[in-house]
Amino acid sequence: MAGTCAALPGQMLSIWNRNEWVPALLLGAIVVAACSGPDGPSEGAACDSVECVEASIDCGDSVYEGDVYIAGFAGTYDLKGITRVTGDVVVEVTGAPELLGDELPLKCIDGNLVVEETTLTTLRQFDGLAKVGGSVRIWANRELEDPDSLVGLRVIGEELEVTSPGLNTLFSVGGDLWLWGGDLPEALVALEYIGGTFNAAGRGLPNLPALREVGLDFVVNTVWSDATTLKGFGSLEKIGRDLVISSGQLVTIDAFANLVEVNGGLHINGLDGPLEQISGFDKLERISGDEFLEDEGLVIGGLTISRTRVSSIEGFGALTEIPGGLHITENGFLESIPNFAKLHSVGGLRIDYNDWLVDLSGLGALEHVWGGLKIENNRSLVSLDAGGSFDSLVNVEREFSVYQNEALVELGTLPSIMFVEGLSVEDNQSLSACEFFP
């Protein structure tokens, strides 16, 4: 019988910024384990089932019942020869750079591992530790800079808070992963799966070159970051809910080259910062979220690009439908709509407050708008017909509004139109005639 492998779903891991008392990384279940073959665990491959992980960990027979407190550099005495502790292990060492002795035989802690406010520079004595049933808290240890500590850790049942992440053999996170504080561009390079939400809001951004799937939201907030480029994530194919980028100081977004599916919304908000270039997304086929709050002008499940300095947007050529709608707003330097060459259906469409916008031809393939269509407050837009902008449009199920586009002189025709719920053309100061239909 062939062996099986699996990633262990878990709870939460949190990495904290080294010099700040703020949460930094919440990671779910952590698995770096061997696979289970027909005769038990085998070496050299990552697991893809809980059973495989459990089979690969041997807690041994030497058990300490209760909690262990290590208050001095020689305090590992209680753990000599012990392979499993049924309670917590708490390390509170001050005045010493490391614990006395060689690597401990400890394999499993049923409770929590806490290393907090110590003077330790390494945790090498715990490199044999494979499983913690509760939480791991490694917090506010200002001298702890060894990225190779806890190199044997495979499973954490609940929360992990750690100062220096490393974790470069980490394969799977079953719950949420938060990066908040710290410069982590080389961390988590082997991570392939996040079962919950990925949330990055740190000074530096990780690359995560191996990441293939995020189960819930993918959120990047660089408001407090020095990072100017969001890149990498070249293996990411699927996001289970929303992709949200609040760019802060970002100038360039050049990522997500192999992303195919976003099952919620995709929202890029430049926050009126320096964001000038958006590229990637060339293979993105589906943005599947379907909630569109039209009256408030909010796209919840669709595609939003707002408050950037971009003049043009590359990518999105493989998109076929956006059930939640498309909203392009407050991009003061945007001159043309992205080339949505295959986009035939949207839940609603709003293009407003883009001061330099002159070209809507990227919407030439659009056939169906299942909500409203609003072209409003685009100061430089001269024509709705240039380049065949709406030549394929068949139906608009709610109002088609053209409002306060002060340079507009031509509406053009809608040669394919079959149904519009309502038409409103108002306060376009340069428009002398209101001829819209053939």
mmCIF file with all atom_site columns, all heavy atoms in Angstrom, residues 210-227:
data_model
loop_
_atom_site.group_PDB
_atom_site.id
_atom_site.type_symbol
_atom_site.label_atom_id
_atom_site.label_alt_id
_atom_site.label_comp_id
_atom_site.label_asym_id
_atom_site.label_entity_id
_atom_site.label_seq_id
_atom_site.pdbx_PDB_ins_code
_atom_site.Cartn_x
_atom_site.Cartn_y
_atom_site.Cartn_z
_atom_site.occupancy
_atom_site.B_iso_or_equiv
_atom_site.pdbx_formal_charge
_atom_site.auth_seq_id
_atom_site.auth_comp_id
_atom_site.auth_asym_id
_atom_site.auth_atom_id
_atom_site.pdbx_PDB_model_num
ATOM 1   N N   . ALA A 1 210 ? 7.109   29.844 -2.552 1.00 0.00 ? 210 ALA A N   1
ATOM 2   C CA  . ALA A 1 210 ? 6.508   28.516 -2.722 1.00 0.00 ? 210 ALA A CA  1
ATOM 3   C C   . ALA A 1 210 ? 5.011   28.491 -2.441 1.00 0.00 ? 210 ALA A C   1
ATOM 4   O O   . ALA A 1 210 ? 4.358   27.476 -2.690 1.00 0.00 ? 210 ALA A O   1
ATOM 5   C CB  . ALA A 1 210 ? 7.214   27.510 -1.805 1.00 0.00 ? 210 ALA A CB  1
ATOM 6   N N   . LEU A 1 211 ? 4.447   29.567 -1.951 1.00 0.00 ? 211 LEU A N   1
ATOM 7   C CA  . LEU A 1 211 ? 3.043   29.576 -1.536 1.00 0.00 ? 211 LEU A CA  1
ATOM 8   C C   . LEU A 1 211 ? 2.118   29.320 -2.719 1.00 0.00 ? 211 LEU A C   1
ATOM 9   O O   . LEU A 1 211 ? 2.160   30.029 -3.723 1.00 0.00 ? 211 LEU A O   1
ATOM 10  C CB  . LEU A 1 211 ? 2.702   30.924 -0.899 1.00 0.00 ? 211 LEU A CB  1
ATOM 11  C CG  . LEU A 1 211 ? 1.297   31.054 -0.307 1.00 0.00 ? 211 LEU A CG  1
ATOM 12  C CD1 . LEU A 1 211 ? 1.102   30.091 0.858  1.00 0.00 ? 211 LEU A CD1 1
ATOM 13  C CD2 . LEU A 1 211 ? 1.037   32.487 0.133  1.00 0.00 ? 211 LEU A CD2 1
ATOM 14  N N   . ARG A 1 212 ? 1.260   28.281 -2.570 1.00 0.00 ? 212 ARG A N   1
ATOM 15  C CA  . ARG A 1 212 ? 0.366   27.897 -3.656 1.00 0.00 ? 212 ARG A CA  1
ATOM 16  C C   . ARG A 1 212 ? -1.096  28.242 -3.399 1.00 0.00 ? 212 ARG A C   1
ATOM 17  O O   . ARG A 1 212 ? -1.848  28.481 -4.337 1.00 0.00 ? 212 ARG A O   1
ATOM 18  C CB  . ARG A 1 212 ? 0.478   26.392 -3.927 1.00 0.00 ? 212 ARG A CB  1
ATOM 19  C CG  . ARG A 1 212 ? 1.820   25.967 -4.473 1.00 0.00 ? 212 ARG A CG  1
ATOM 20  C CD  . ARG A 1 212 ? 1.832   24.497 -4.840 1.00 0.00 ? 212 ARG A CD  1
ATOM 21  N NE  . ARG A 1 212 ? 1.750   23.639 -3.664 1.00 0.00 ? 212 ARG A NE  1
ATOM 22  C CZ  . ARG A 1 212 ? 0.708   22.891 -3.351 1.00 0.00 ? 212 ARG A CZ  1
ATOM 23  N NH1 . ARG A 1 212 ? -0.373  22.901 -4.112 1.00 0.00 ? 212 ARG A NH1 1
ATOM 24  N NH2 . ARG A 1 212 ? 0.716   22.122 -2.269 1.00 0.00 ? 212 ARG A NH2 1
ATOM 25  N N   . GLU A 1 213 ? -1.505  28.243 -2.116 1.00 0.00 ? 213 GLU A N   1
ATOM 26  C CA  . GLU A 1 213 ? -2.931  28.449 -1.847 1.00 0.00 ? 213 GLU A CA  1
ATOM 27  C C   . GLU A 1 213 ? -3.128  29.118 -0.494 1.00 0.00 ? 213 GLU A C   1
ATOM 28  O O   . GLU A 1 213 ? -2.450  28.788 0.481  1.00 0.00 ? 213 GLU A O   1
ATOM 29  C CB  . GLU A 1 213 ? -3.671  27.111 -1.865 1.00 0.00 ? 213 GLU A CB  1
ATOM 30  C CG  . GLU A 1 213 ? -5.166  27.238 -1.629 1.00 0.00 ? 213 GLU A CG  1
ATOM 31  C CD  . GLU A 1 213 ? -5.902  25.921 -1.755 1.00 0.00 ? 213 GLU A CD  1
ATOM 32  O OE1 . GLU A 1 213 ? -5.299  24.946 -2.282 1.00 0.00 ? 213 GLU A OE1 1
ATOM 33  O OE2 . GLU A 1 213 ? -7.078  25.847 -1.346 1.00 0.00 ? 213 GLU A OE2 1
ATOM 34  N N   . VAL A 1 214 ? -4.070  30.061 -0.452 1.00 0.00 ? 214 VAL A N   1
ATOM 35  C CA  . VAL A 1 214 ? -4.512  30.688 0.783  1.00 0.00 ? 214 VAL A CA  1
ATOM 36  C C   . VAL A 1 214 ? -6.002  30.394 0.925  1.00 0.00 ? 214 VAL A C   1
ATOM 37  O O   . VAL A 1 214 ? -6.791  30.700 0.025  1.00 0.00 ? 214 VAL A O   1
ATOM 38  C CB  . VAL A 1 214 ? -4.263  32.210 0.762  1.00 0.00 ? 214 VAL A CB  1
ATOM 39  C CG1 . VAL A 1 214 ? -4.838  32.872 2.004  1.00 0.00 ? 214 VAL A CG1 1
ATOM 40  C CG2 . VAL A 1 214 ? -2.768  32.506 0.658  1.00 0.00 ? 214 VAL A CG2 1
ATOM 41  N N   . GLY A 1 215 ? -6.381  29.811 2.065  1.00 0.00 ? 215 GLY A N   1
ATOM 42  C CA  . GLY A 1 215 ? -7.755  29.345 2.219  1.00 0.00 ? 215 GLY A CA  1
ATOM 43  C C   . GLY A 1 215 ? -8.769  30.455 2.389  1.00 0.00 ? 215 GLY A C   1
ATOM 44  O O   . GLY A 1 215 ? -9.908  30.328 1.934  1.00 0.00 ? 215 GLY A O   1
ATOM 45  N N   . LEU A 1 216 ? -8.386  31.551 3.044  1.00 0.00 ? 216 LEU A N   1
ATOM 46  C CA  . LEU A 1 216 ? -9.320  32.662 3.255  1.00 0.00 ? 216 LEU A CA  1
ATOM 47  C C   . LEU A 1 216 ? -8.758  33.925 2.598  1.00 0.00 ? 216 LEU A C   1
ATOM 48  O O   . LEU A 1 216 ? -8.542  33.946 1.409  1.00 0.00 ? 216 LEU A O   1
ATOM 49  C CB  . LEU A 1 216 ? -9.579  32.851 4.751  1.00 0.00 ? 216 LEU A CB  1
ATOM 50  C CG  . LEU A 1 216 ? -10.318 31.692 5.441  1.00 0.00 ? 216 LEU A CG  1
ATOM 51  C CD1 . LEU A 1 216 ? -10.477 31.966 6.929  1.00 0.00 ? 216 LEU A CD1 1
ATOM 52  C CD2 . LEU A 1 216 ? -11.666 31.429 4.800  1.00 0.00 ? 216 LEU A CD2 1
ATOM 53  N N   . ASP A 1 217 ? -8.536  34.994 3.347  1.00 0.00 ? 217 ASP A N   1
ATOM 54  C CA  . ASP A 1 217 ? -8.125  36.268 2.770  1.00 0.00 ? 217 ASP A CA  1
ATOM 55  C C   . ASP A 1 217 ? -6.608  36.387 2.650  1.00 0.00 ? 217 ASP A C   1
ATOM 56  O O   . ASP A 1 217 ? -5.853  35.839 3.451  1.00 0.00 ? 217 ASP A O   1
ATOM 57  C CB  . ASP A 1 217 ? -8.627  37.430 3.638  1.00 0.00 ? 217 ASP A CB  1
ATOM 58  C CG  . ASP A 1 217 ? -10.137 37.463 3.752  1.00 0.00 ? 217 ASP A CG  1
ATOM 59  O OD1 . ASP A 1 217 ? -10.807 37.062 2.779  1.00 0.00 ? 217 ASP A OD1 1
ATOM 60  O OD2 . ASP A 1 217 ? -10.645 37.883 4.805  1.00 0.00 ? 217 ASP A OD2 1
ATOM 61  N N   . PHE A 1 218 ? -6.200  37.160 1.669  1.00 0.00 ? 218 PHE A N   1
ATOM 62  C CA  . PHE A 1 218 ? -4.800  37.541 1.487  1.00 0.00 ? 218 PHE A CA  1
ATOM 63  C C   . PHE A 1 218 ? -4.758  39.055 1.612  1.00 0.00 ? 218 PHE A C   1
ATOM 64  O O   . PHE A 1 218 ? -5.271  39.775 0.751  1.00 0.00 ? 218 PHE A O   1
ATOM 65  C CB  . PHE A 1 218 ? -4.302  37.094 0.117  1.00 0.00 ? 218 PHE A CB  1
ATOM 66  C CG  . PHE A 1 218 ? -2.829  37.279 -0.120 1.00 0.00 ? 218 PHE A CG  1
ATOM 67  C CD1 . PHE A 1 218 ? -1.997  36.179 -0.226 1.00 0.00 ? 218 PHE A CD1 1
ATOM 68  C CD2 . PHE A 1 218 ? -2.273  38.538 -0.256 1.00 0.00 ? 218 PHE A CD2 1
ATOM 69  C CE1 . PHE A 1 218 ? -0.635  36.329 -0.455 1.00 0.00 ? 218 PHE A CE1 1
ATOM 70  C CE2 . PHE A 1 218 ? -0.920  38.715 -0.493 1.00 0.00 ? 218 PHE A CE2 1
ATOM 71  C CZ  . PHE A 1 218 ? -0.094  37.601 -0.591 1.00 0.00 ? 218 PHE A CZ  1
ATOM 72  N N   . VAL A 1 219 ? -4.171  39.556 2.699  1.00 0.00 ? 219 VAL A N   1
ATOM 73  C CA  . VAL A 1 219 ? -4.223  40.988 3.007  1.00 0.00 ? 219 VAL A CA  1
ATOM 74  C C   . VAL A 1 219 ? -2.810  41.522 3.176  1.00 0.00 ? 219 VAL A C   1
ATOM 75  O O   . VAL A 1 219 ? -2.041  41.020 3.993  1.00 0.00 ? 219 VAL A O   1
ATOM 76  C CB  . VAL A 1 219 ? -5.034  41.261 4.295  1.00 0.00 ? 219 VAL A CB  1
ATOM 77  C CG1 . VAL A 1 219 ? -5.100  42.762 4.567  1.00 0.00 ? 219 VAL A CG1 1
ATOM 78  C CG2 . VAL A 1 219 ? -6.445  40.677 4.169  1.00 0.00 ? 219 VAL A CG2 1
ATOM 79  N N   . VAL A 1 220 ? -2.467  42.551 2.413  1.00 0.00 ? 220 VAL A N   1
ATOM 80  C CA  . VAL A 1 220 ? -1.180  43.233 2.544  1.00 0.00 ? 220 VAL A CA  1
ATOM 81  C C   . VAL A 1 220 ? -1.467  44.697 2.829  1.00 0.00 ? 220 VAL A C   1
ATOM 82  O O   . VAL A 1 220 ? -2.104  45.379 2.028  1.00 0.00 ? 220 VAL A O   1
ATOM 83  C CB  . VAL A 1 220 ? -0.321  43.096 1.269  1.00 0.00 ? 220 VAL A CB  1
ATOM 84  C CG1 . VAL A 1 220 ? 0.952   43.922 1.402  1.00 0.00 ? 220 VAL A CG1 1
ATOM 85  C CG2 . VAL A 1 220 ? 0.013   41.646 1.003  1.00 0.00 ? 220 VAL A CG2 1
ATOM 86  N N   . ASN A 1 221 ? -0.992  45.167 3.978  1.00 0.00 ? 221 ASN A N   1
ATOM 87  C CA  . ASN A 1 221 ? -1.167  46.553 4.364  1.00 0.00 ? 221 ASN A CA  1
ATOM 88  C C   . ASN A 1 221 ? 0.209   47.130 4.674  1.00 0.00 ? 221 ASN A C   1
ATOM 89  O O   . ASN A 1 221 ? 0.817   46.789 5.685  1.00 0.00 ? 221 ASN A O   1
ATOM 90  C CB  . ASN A 1 221 ? -2.081  46.662 5.587  1.00 0.00 ? 221 ASN A CB  1
ATOM 91  C CG  . ASN A 1 221 ? -2.437  48.099 5.925  1.00 0.00 ? 221 ASN A CG  1
ATOM 92  O OD1 . ASN A 1 221 ? -1.722  49.026 5.578  1.00 0.00 ? 221 ASN A OD1 1
ATOM 93  N ND2 . ASN A 1 221 ? -3.547  48.275 6.616  1.00 0.00 ? 221 ASN A ND2 1
ATOM 94  N N   . THR A 1 222 ? 0.701   48.000 3.789  1.00 0.00 ? 222 THR A N   1
ATOM 95  C CA  . THR A 1 222 ? 2.059   48.524 3.950  1.00 0.00 ? 222 THR A CA  1
ATOM 96  C C   . THR A 1 222 ? 2.051   49.990 4.397  1.00 0.00 ? 222 THR A C   1
ATOM 97  O O   . THR A 1 222 ? 2.977   50.738 4.117  1.00 0.00 ? 222 THR A O   1
ATOM 98  C CB  . THR A 1 222 ? 2.845   48.390 2.635  1.00 0.00 ? 222 THR A CB  1
ATOM 99  O OG1 . THR A 1 222 ? 2.199   49.178 1.621  1.00 0.00 ? 222 THR A OG1 1
ATOM 100 C CG2 . THR A 1 222 ? 2.905   46.955 2.187  1.00 0.00 ? 222 THR A CG2 1
ATOM 101 N N   . VAL A 1 223 ? 1.011   50.388 5.080  1.00 0.00 ? 223 VAL A N   1
ATOM 102 C CA  . VAL A 1 223 ? 0.900   51.778 5.533  1.00 0.00 ? 223 VAL A CA  1
ATOM 103 C C   . VAL A 1 223 ? 2.100   52.173 6.385  1.00 0.00 ? 223 VAL A C   1
ATOM 104 O O   . VAL A 1 223 ? 2.596   53.300 6.313  1.00 0.00 ? 223 VAL A O   1
ATOM 105 C CB  . VAL A 1 223 ? -0.409  51.978 6.312  1.00 0.00 ? 223 VAL A CB  1
ATOM 106 C CG1 . VAL A 1 223 ? -0.473  53.384 6.908  1.00 0.00 ? 223 VAL A CG1 1
ATOM 107 C CG2 . VAL A 1 223 ? -1.609  51.740 5.399  1.00 0.00 ? 223 VAL A CG2 1
ATOM 108 N N   . TRP A 1 224 ? 2.588   51.259 7.220  1.00 0.00 ? 224 TRP A N   1
ATOM 109 C CA  . TRP A 1 224 ? 3.712   51.547 8.106  1.00 0.00 ? 224 TRP A CA  1
ATOM 110 C C   . TRP A 1 224 ? 5.008   50.936 7.589  1.00 0.00 ? 224 TRP A C   1
ATOM 111 O O   . TRP A 1 224 ? 5.975   50.793 8.323  1.00 0.00 ? 224 TRP A O   1
ATOM 112 C CB  . TRP A 1 224 ? 3.416   51.021 9.504  1.00 0.00 ? 224 TRP A CB  1
ATOM 113 C CG  . TRP A 1 224 ? 2.185   51.632 10.086 1.00 0.00 ? 224 TRP A CG  1
ATOM 114 C CD1 . TRP A 1 224 ? 2.065   52.877 10.649 1.00 0.00 ? 224 TRP A CD1 1
ATOM 115 C CD2 . TRP A 1 224 ? 0.900   51.048 10.140 1.00 0.00 ? 224 TRP A CD2 1
ATOM 116 N NE1 . TRP A 1 224 ? 0.772   53.092 11.046 1.00 0.00 ? 224 TRP A NE1 1
ATOM 117 C CE2 . TRP A 1 224 ? 0.030   51.989 10.754 1.00 0.00 ? 224 TRP A CE2 1
ATOM 118 C CE3 . TRP A 1 224 ? 0.367   49.832 9.738  1.00 0.00 ? 224 TRP A CE3 1
ATOM 119 C CZ2 . TRP A 1 224 ? -1.316  51.744 10.959 1.00 0.00 ? 224 TRP A CZ2 1
ATOM 120 C CZ3 . TRP A 1 224 ? -0.983  49.576 9.939  1.00 0.00 ? 224 TRP A CZ3 1
ATOM 121 C CH2 . TRP A 1 224 ? -1.800  50.530 10.548 1.00 0.00 ? 224 TRP A CH2 1
ATOM 122 N N   . SER A 1 225 ? 5.036   50.578 6.326  1.00 0.00 ? 225 SER A N   1
ATOM 123 C CA  . SER A 1 225 ? 6.186   49.862 5.779  1.00 0.00 ? 225 SER A CA  1
ATOM 124 C C   . SER A 1 225 ? 7.086   50.781 4.960  1.00 0.00 ? 225 SER A C   1
ATOM 125 O O   . SER A 1 225 ? 6.637   51.772 4.386  1.00 0.00 ? 225 SER A O   1
ATOM 126 C CB  . SER A 1 225 ? 5.702   48.708 4.893  1.00 0.00 ? 225 SER A CB  1
ATOM 127 O OG  . SER A 1 225 ? 6.785   48.077 4.243  1.00 0.00 ? 225 SER A OG  1
ATOM 128 N N   . ASP A 1 226 ? 8.366   50.409 4.881  1.00 0.00 ? 226 ASP A N   1
ATOM 129 C CA  . ASP A 1 226 ? 9.303   51.081 3.995  1.00 0.00 ? 226 ASP A CA  1
ATOM 130 C C   . ASP A 1 226 ? 9.362   50.415 2.624  1.00 0.00 ? 226 ASP A C   1
ATOM 131 O O   . ASP A 1 226 ? 10.058  50.903 1.729  1.00 0.00 ? 226 ASP A O   1
ATOM 132 C CB  . ASP A 1 226 ? 10.709  51.066 4.615  1.00 0.00 ? 226 ASP A CB  1
ATOM 133 C CG  . ASP A 1 226 ? 10.766  51.819 5.939  1.00 0.00 ? 226 ASP A CG  1
ATOM 134 O OD1 . ASP A 1 226 ? 10.000  52.785 6.101  1.00 0.00 ? 226 ASP A OD1 1
ATOM 135 O OD2 . ASP A 1 226 ? 11.565  51.426 6.809  1.00 0.00 ? 226 ASP A OD2 1
ATOM 136 N N   . ALA A 1 227 ? 8.672   49.314 2.468  1.00 0.00 ? 227 ALA A N   1
ATOM 137 C CA  . ALA A 1 227 ? 8.725   48.567 1.216  1.00 0.00 ? 227 ALA A CA  1
ATOM 138 C C   . ALA A 1 227 ? 8.125   49.382 0.074  1.00 0.00 ? 227 ALA A C   1
ATOM 139 O O   . ALA A 1 227 ? 7.060   49.996 0.218  1.00 0.00 ? 227 ALA A O   1
ATOM 140 C CB  . ALA A 1 227 ? 7.972   47.252 1.358  1.00 0.00 ? 227 ALA A CB  1
#
